[in-house]
Structures are given as structure tokens and as C-alpha cells.
Amino acid sequence: MEARISHAVPTRIALLAAASATFGLCAPASAQTLDNKYWISAMAFYPRIDTDVRVATAAQADIGTDIDFEKDLALDHDEILPSFSGGARFGRVIVGADFYKLDRKGQIGLARDISFDGVVYPATAQVRSGFESEIYRLTVGYAFVQNSSVELGAAIGAHVTRFDMSISGQGSVGGQVGQTEVRRRDALAPLPTIGAFVTYKVAPRVELNGRFDWLSLKIDDYDGRLLNAQVGANYAVAKNLALGVAYRYVDYRLGIDKERWNGRVRYKLHGPAVLLQASF
């Protein structure tokens, strides 16, 4: 049997996120350039990934297991993720967008009993699992300091994440062992953020850049926290082309306290990246 339930952060959060993206002063897309008005970049991100999930109903909140998807379900800790960003500068106003996606699957004989969405999968059971996420970062920024060598500003923004997670295998429901049980949950979380950004040209061909986004918010049945930071350096190999390196850290937590889903998602990525950027 299969159960699929979609959960979205309440409408008020979604509206706030949309308003932040449209009207707010947000951190610019990563790896921007001071010399040009428009830029687009492609990045290869090499993160270390940690994923912890608990899914239970309110009536069975004490039964749900904290599941480490890498340790318990054999999902890879390390992946190569493509990431894309682009942006434009209109005087002191800076707009941009980021996107990256992660899709992992695993298969393992369980080392312990785990409970996910009302199904208990016993130790030694063979299970398949999946965890997919899509992350969108929409930005509009304002630079308080802006000259030929430095750009510095404060920020708010919108960080939209979609999660899709699943487990399938021989399991029991209410103590009754049945056939293969499939459980899948997805969640959409558009969250507003605040932060800061800086770009500093240290030499004619070399720019350093950094950004920081943060959120801690509780509304109704949802409790969210997000930390998204990146530092990097670009070297202009031609007038409109640069190579760069960066280090990105993302720590995302979403707690849910609803009748049909009492649990949480914690998702952490951190690691180096290389990028190619075109600007004009």
C-alpha cells in the first residue's frame, strides 16, 4: 500500500516569502561581479550531506524514529551537485536567483527497527529509500556601500525548498505484518530570510565575495530555521569570463506539529565548489 501526503508551510509564510522576493532588500546571487551589470554562473558543488528525518502522526508521536538517511538507509554522504545562478545590477539594486537539486536513492538491510509514517520496518528487512530536494533562492538586494572596489549591503530574501522522501520494504502496521509497505512524504517550505553580502576587488582580476542568509521562525504548527552562507574568490581569465572557487554551508531545519505529520526534517550540506561565470 502507498500513502502520499503533501504539506506546505502556511499561506502566511508563503505570502511573506513572495513579498520578500518581490519588494525586499535581499542578498545578491553568489559570485557576482563589480565590473559588469549582468552575470550567470554554473557551479559544481561537492558537499558533505547529512539528512535526519522523523515522520509520525500526532497520535503516534512517541513511535516515530529519528532516521539518519545516510547511516540507516545507505544514502551517499558525498555527491557532486550542479548549481546555477544569475543576476543583474540596476544601480544599487541587485536582483538574482540560485538553484540546485539533489536526488539520492539507497538500498540496505536494516541494522535496527525504524518507524516511518506509521510503518515499522524491522531490523534485517531489505528496504529501498529515496530523498530528493530542490532549492530555489530568489533575491533583490540593495548596496549601502558601492564603489569600484567594494560592494556591501544588508538583506532579506526568499529561500524555497521542496523535499520528497520515501521508504519501501516489508513492514508492519499496527503490529500486523503485511506485504511490502511504501510510504512517501513531501514538503514545500518557502521561507523568508535576512542576511548580508559583500564583494571586494583585491586586484584588477581578483574578487572576493561572501554572503550570509539566516532565518528562525515559528508560525502555527511549523518551526523553521535556516543558515545559508558562502565565501568565494573569482579570477577573471578574460574580459567577460571568470573562474572561481567557493565554500558553501547550508543548515536547514523544519519542525512540523500537525495531526497527520508530527516530526521534522534536518538537512545539512557543506563543502567546496568550483564555478565558471560569464558577465557583461
Side-chain angles (χ1 to χ4, degrees), residues 124-136:
T124 73
Q126 290 290 324
V127 299
R128 297 178 181 270
S129 62
F131 188 95
E132 179 181 334
S133 65
E134 295 178 354
I135 299 167
Y136 305 84

Side-chain angles (χ1 to χ4, degrees), residues 47-269:
R48 174 77 173 179
I49 308 164
D50 295 294
T51 312
D52 295 287
V53 175
R54 180 167 61 84
V55 177
T57 63
Q60 300 175 311
D62 58 335
I63 298 177
T65 305
D66 286 317
I67 303 171
D68 184 323
F69 269 55
E70 290 77 30
K71 180 179 179 181
D72 293 323
L73 300 178
L75 269 63
D76 287 339
H77 268 291
D78 304 292
E79 290 279 334
I80 300 177
L81 306 184
S83 175
F84 304 94
S85 68
R89 179 182 291 104
F90 304 97
R92 291 180 179 268
V93 178
I94 302 160
V95 299
D98 296 338
F99 169 77
Y100 55 100
K101 179 178 179 179
L102 177 63
D103 187 3
R104 297 173 296 158
K105 300 185 185 301
Q107 181 174 352
I108 194 174
L110 294 177
R112 64 182 180 114
D113 294 355
I114 63 171
S115 174
F116 182 85
D117 195 15
V119 177
V120 177
Y121 299 94
T124 73
Q126 290 290 324
V127 299
R128 297 178 181 270
S129 62
F131 188 95
E132 179 181 334
S133 65
E134 295 178 354
I135 299 167
Y136 305 84
R137 181 174 173 268
L138 308 176
T139 65
V140 180
Y142 185 85
F144 296 108
V145 177
Q146 186 181 69
N147 55 50
S148 60
S149 60
V150 177
E151 189 167 66
L152 174 67
I156 61 173
H159 195 283
V160 182
T161 306
R162 185 186 69 83
F163 298 107
D164 192 317
M165 59 207 82
S166 64
I167 300 179
S168 65
Q170 190 74 23
S172 63
V173 180
Q176 300 296 317
V177 178
Q179 57 184 359
T180 297
E181 298 287 345
V182 181
R183 289 293 186 269
R184 174 173 283 111
R185 288 294 181 107
D186 58 35
L188 176 66
L191 301 175
T193 61
I194 62 173
F197 63 91
V198 62
T199 302
Y200 177 42
K201 179 177 286 189
V202 296
R205 289 179 176 267
V206 180
E207 289 182 350
L208 306 180
N209 57 77
R211 75 181 193 208
F212 173 85
D213 301 322
W214 175 81
L215 164 76
S216 182
L217 178 68
K218 181 175 177 59
I219 294 182
D220 296 332
D221 301 322
Y222 295 85
D223 186 2
R225 196 189 87 174
L226 170 69
L227 174 60
N228 182 16
Q230 181 173 312
V231 294
N234 290 353
Y235 179 79
V237 296
K239 180 179 179 181
N240 301 105
L241 190 66
L243 297 176
V245 294
Y247 190 91
R248 174 181 284 175
Y249 179 91
V250 180
D251 189 346
Y252 180 94
R253 303 181 187 187
L254 179 66
I256 303 170
D257 187 12
K258 299 179 71 68
E259 181 179 354
R260 303 195 69 181
W261 184 351
N262 183 280
R264 67 184 180 92
V265 178
R266 180 176 180 181
Y267 188 44
K268 182 184 294 186
L269 305 91

